[in-house]
Amino acid sequence: MVRTSQATTFSTSPYFFDRGPHGTAQPITELVNPHSRPIVSYYFPRGVGGQHYGERHPMKPHRLTLTNALVMGYGLDKQIHNIYDPRPATQEELENYHDNDYIEFLSRVTPKNQNSMRQMIDNFNCVEDCPIFADMYDFCRMYAGGSLAGARKLAAGTTDIAINWSGGLHHAKRGEASGFCYVNDIVLAILELLRYHPRVLYIDIDIHHGDGVELAFYQSNRVMTVSFHKYTGDFFPGTGKLDDNGSGAGKHFCLNVPLQDGIDDDMYLTIFKTVIDDTVTAFRPTSIVLQCGADSLGCDRLGAFNLSIAAHGECVNFVRKYNVPLLVLGGGGYTIKNVSRCWTYETSVLVGAEIPDELPATVYDSFFADSHWKLHPPLTGKVDNQNSAASLQRITISIRNKLRYLQGAPSVAMQEIPPDLQGLVGDENRTAEEKDEERGTGQAGERRMGRSIARNEFFDGDNDVDQDSTVGKTRGGSTARRARGGRRGRGRGRGRGAASAATSTPVPGDEGDADVPDVSLVPPKRGRGRGRGRGRGRGKAADKDKEKETSTPPTEATSTPAAMDVDVDI
C-alpha cells in the first residue's frame, strides 16, 4: 500500500507535461538529400551521458543526454547525413599525446582502490575538480574516441562538418588532469588532422581559457590557437593574457582575447568576427576545430558573461561560412538545461535547418518548464558589463599587430604521411569504411570529386595521379612508359629517373656511351654529368625525336622500351 505522501511518484507522473497555451515543436520529417553539401556527421558515444562525476560536482554529463534528446525531438537527425556511435579510443591512441604512466594510472584507479593510490592521485592532480569516479577511464575513452573519429572522417575527406558534443575538454595536460578534464581529446584530434592538413586553426569560445590546447602547440607554427575567455588573473585557470602569443617556431601563432565580466552579444560578436576574420585571412587554415563551451552563456552556474543562445550560435555560423573542414566540439557549461538548448540550436545551424522557438516533447520536459519550454529563454542582462569599446579596440589592434608578423601562412614540405593512430592496434575490429580511411586515400566509402584530387597536370584519366604504369603512344610512333622524370623542370646530369641510359641508341657526339647495358637487366641510374638535362614529354621533344630518326640509322633492338626524350647540352 502506498502512503498518501508517496502517491505521486516518477512512474505515476505524466509522460509529457501539459503545456497549456505553450506550443510544441513538431519534428522535421523530410530526409536530407544524401548528395547535398555540406556533409554533416554527428557523433554520440553510447552511454557517455550516463556518467556521473559526483553528487555536488558542477560537471554533469547528463547534459549530453538532454542535448541528444532535443536533437532527435526536433527531427534534426533527418537532416544529418551520418550518425555514429564511435568506438572508444584505445590506450595507444591516448598515448599519442599523454604520458604512458598517466594513462596507466587512469586505467587502474577506481573509487575502491583510491586510498591505496593517494600519492599517485596527488601527483596527477586528480583531486577536488577532477575526482575519481566509477568508469572514469571508460568515460575518457568514449569522448576521446568521438573526437578522433570525427577528425579521421575530416582527414579522409568524407565529411565536411563533424560534431561531437561530448568532446572539447580543453584543460587536460600531457601528464595530469585539470579543470574537470582528464584526457585532452582536442589535442588528439588536432594531431590526427595534422597528418593530412598543413595548418589547423583552433577556436575556443568557452569562458575559461583553453590552456591545455595552447600549451600543447605553444611552439608550433602549424596550429594557430585563438581563445576568447574571461581573464582577471585569478579566474580559472589564471592563464591567457593578451601578451601570451607562443614561443620558438610558434611565436605569434597563439592569440588570446581576454574579456571582463558581463560582455553582451553585440560586443562579443564584433570582436569575435573581427579577430577570426583577420586570423583566417593571415593564417589560411586548411581545417578548423571549434570548441563551443556553453559556460559563456548568461546565467551559467560558473560563468559571468551575458551571451544569448542566438549570439553563441552566430559564432558557430560565422565559422561555418568559411567552408573549411570543421570539427565542432562541446566543452564547459554547467546550467545543463541551457547547455542542451544551446548545442541543439547550434546543431540546427550546422545542418542548415530552421527550428521553432518551442521545444519538442521529450521525456525531459520537466527540465524546461520554468522557461515555458522555449529554445531561447532570456539569459542576458544579469551581470554588469565591465567591458568598454575602447578596451576591445585595444585588444583588436594588438592582435592585428601580432598577425602582421606571420608574413604569410606557413607551408609544409611534402613528406610521407605518418602512420595512422588507428593502425597502431592490430586486433581492433574495424569496419570496411575505416579500412578505406587507413589506406591514406581518404575515399572512405565515398568519392569526393572536389578540390583535393587531380593535383598533377599530367594525367590521362579523371582519377590518374601520375602512376608509373601508364603506357601511351609517343609522337614518333613508338610506345614508351610514362616516367616521373617526364615532368617539366630542370634536372642535374643526363636526366631524372629513367634518363638517356635507358636506350641502346647512342647520342651523337657522346663518345663515352658506346656500350650501353640492356635496360631489361640493369636498372637505370642517375647521371652525374655537369650538363643540364630537360625532360619534356611534349612540345619540342617530338621535333628532337624526328631529327634523331633522320640522322641515326634504326637499330635492331626494337623490343627495348624507348627512353624519355632528353636534350643534353655539353
Side-chain angles (χ1 to χ4, degrees):
M1 181 177 180
V2 180
R3 296 180 181 178
T4 305
S5 59
Q6 299 176 347
T8 302
T9 63
F10 179 80
S11 59
T12 60
S13 62
Y15 191 73
F16 297 115
F17 273 58
D18 182 10
R19 300 190 179 185
H22 307 288
T24 301
Q26 297 302 316
I28 299 173
T29 57
E30 182 182 359
L31 293 175
V32 65
N33 186 339
H35 303 292
S36 63
R37 302 299 290 267
I39 300 174
V40 180
S41 297
Y42 182 86
Y43 295 86
F44 185 76
R46 188 185 305 275
V48 70
Q51 307 301 319
H52 189 54
Y53 274 64
E55 181 180 0
R56 302 183 184 277
H57 200 283
M59 174 64 95
K60 307 291 185 184
H62 183 60
R63 63 194 181 149
L64 302 170
T65 302
L66 264 65
T67 301
N68 198 56
L70 290 180
V71 168
M72 302 301 169
Y74 272 118
L76 292 175
D77 55 313
K78 307 295 192 304
Q79 296 294 307
I80 298 174
H81 293 75
N82 304 298
I83 298 179
Y84 295 101
D85 173 20
R87 65 168 179 82
T90 63
Q91 179 172 339
E92 289 81 0
E93 289 173 335
L94 299 181
E95 290 177 1
N96 275 277
Y97 173 63
H98 292 284
D99 294 336
N100 172 263
D101 54 349
Y102 175 56
I103 298 300
E104 285 285 347
F105 161 76
L106 292 179
S107 65
R108 288 171 27 224
V109 67
T110 64
K112 293 183 178 180
N113 66 9
Q114 60 179 333
N115 291 331
S116 61
M117 303 179 68
R118 182 57 56 185
Q119 183 62 43
M120 298 182 69
I121 289 175
D122 293 338
N123 292 340
F124 294 124
N125 197 33
C126 288
V127 295
E128 297 181 356
D129 287 351
C130 303
I132 305 300
F133 58 91
D135 299 326
M136 180 183 67
Y137 183 58
D138 292 336
F139 173 67
C140 297
R141 293 178 61 212
M142 281 191 283
Y143 73 75
S147 297
L148 278 172
R152 281 194 295 266
K153 199 78 172 172
L154 290 169
T158 54
T159 194
D160 301 309
I161 299 174
I163 305 171
N164 176 31
W165 294 125
S166 66
L169 278 70
H170 56 172
H171 293 306
K173 309 301 190 300
R174 181 187 295 270
E176 68 176 27
S178 177
F180 314 157
C181 308
Y182 301 88
V183 168
N184 200 317
D185 63 293
I186 305 175
V187 174
L188 294 172
I190 292 177
L191 290 174
E192 176 68 19
L193 289 173
L194 288 175
R195 296 178 58 246
Y196 291 88
H197 292 275
R199 295 177 300 279
V200 177
L201 172 61
Y202 171 70
I203 304 172
D204 192 316
I205 57 176
D206 195 292
I207 196 173
H208 300 96
H209 177 233
D211 57 333
V213 183
E214 177 184 284
L215 180 63
F217 301 105
Y218 202 67
Q219 300 185 35
S220 172
N221 63 355
R222 293 185 60 193
V223 180
M224 171 81 79
T225 60
V226 185
S227 179
F228 299 81
H229 53 270
K230 175 182 174 180
Y231 177 77
T232 59
D234 56 355
F235 184 74
F236 184 85
T239 56
K241 58 184 179 180
L242 185 61
D243 296 334
D244 294 340
N245 60 347
S247 65
K251 188 73 171 177
H252 308 299
F253 288 88
C254 167
L255 301 178
N256 287 298
V257 183
L259 304 170
Q260 302 300 313
D261 287 351
I263 189 168
D264 56 23
D265 290 353
D266 293 338
M267 282 187 171
Y268 194 93
L269 289 176
T270 299
I271 193 169
F272 178 85
K273 292 182 178 180
T274 302
V275 170
I276 294 302
D277 195 53
D278 291 342
T279 302
V280 171
T281 302
F283 186 63
R284 290 186 294 165
T286 56
S287 62
I288 298 177
V289 177
L290 177 59
Q291 197 265 17
C292 301
D295 48 5
S296 52
L297 293 173
C299 302
D300 188 78
R301 183 177 175 182
L302 300 182
F305 284 175
N306 279 327
L307 292 187
S308 65
I309 291 176
H312 203 274
E314 177 58 27
C315 295
V316 176
N317 188 44
F318 185 78
V319 176
R320 177 189 66 86
K321 289 181 179 178
Y322 284 108
N323 293 323
V324 174
L326 177 61
L327 176 62
V328 181
L329 305 172
Y334 308 102
T335 304
I336 62 175
K337 57 185 178 182
N338 293 336
V339 175
S340 59
R341 280 187 276 223
C342 179
W343 289 347
T344 300
Y345 173 68
E346 289 169 354
T347 302
S348 71
V349 169
L350 292 167
V351 301
E354 294 186 4
I355 54 178
D357 191 31
E358 293 78 17
L359 292 178
T362 67
V363 296
Y364 303 106
D365 277 359
S366 60
F367 282 85
F368 311 103
D370 58 345
S371 62
H372 303 297
W373 302 276
K374 299 297 182 183
L375 180 63
H376 297 278
L379 302 177
T380 61
K382 309 295 183 181
V383 182
D384 293 336
N385 190 353
Q386 300 179 13
N387 301 270
S388 64
S391 64
L392 298 182
Q393 185 177 15
R394 286 194 297 269
I395 294 174
T396 303
I397 294 174
S398 174
I399 289 178
R400 282 178 171 171
N401 289 335
K402 294 174 183 177
L403 291 174
R404 292 171 55 191
Y405 288 99
L406 295 188
Q407 298 178 351
S411 60
V412 179
M414 294 182 64
Q415 54 188 335
E416 182 180 356
I417 296 175
D420 195 344
L421 299 179
Q422 189 178 2
L424 297 174
V425 189
D427 58 348
E428 204 60 54
N429 291 326
R430 302 178 177 86
T431 64
E433 188 174 17
E434 288 179 329
K435 291 179 180 179
D436 285 341
E437 291 176 355
E438 290 176 10
R439 297 190 182 102
T441 61
Q443 305 297 339
E446 303 177 39
R447 286 285 187 182
R448 185 177 71 157
M449 309 300 292
R451 55 187 175 277
S452 63
I453 65 171
R455 295 178 183 270
N456 191 343
E457 61 173 322
F458 299 100
F459 57 92
D460 291 332
D462 292 337
N463 295 320
D464 184 89
V465 191
D466 199 25
Q467 300 178 4
D468 289 341
S469 61
T470 306
V471 178
K473 287 282 185 177
T474 62
R475 294 182 63 179
S478 60
T479 60
R481 180 182 297 271
R482 178 179 296 235
R484 291 184 180 271
R487 299 181 182 179
R488 292 179 182 173
R490 290 180 173 270
R492 292 280 182 181
R494 294 187 175 92
R496 295 174 62 88
S500 59
T503 179
S504 60
T505 304
V507 178
D510 193 353
E511 299 176 356
D513 294 335
D515 297 327
V516 180
D518 188 358
V519 68
S520 61
L521 300 177
V522 180
K525 297 182 179 180
R526 185 187 298 275
R528 292 194 176 185
R530 294 186 178 180
R532 292 183 177 271
R534 289 177 178 268
R536 298 181 179 270
R538 355 175 144 171
K540 296 182 180 180
D543 298 336
K544 296 290 184 181
D545 190 22
K546 292 180 179 179
E547 293 177 6
K548 287 182 181 181
E549 290 179 358
T550 57
S551 59
T552 305
T555 59
E556 296 180 359
T558 57
S559 60
T560 303
M564 177 183 56
D565 300 320
V566 178
D567 296 340
V568 180
D569 301 330
I570 301 299

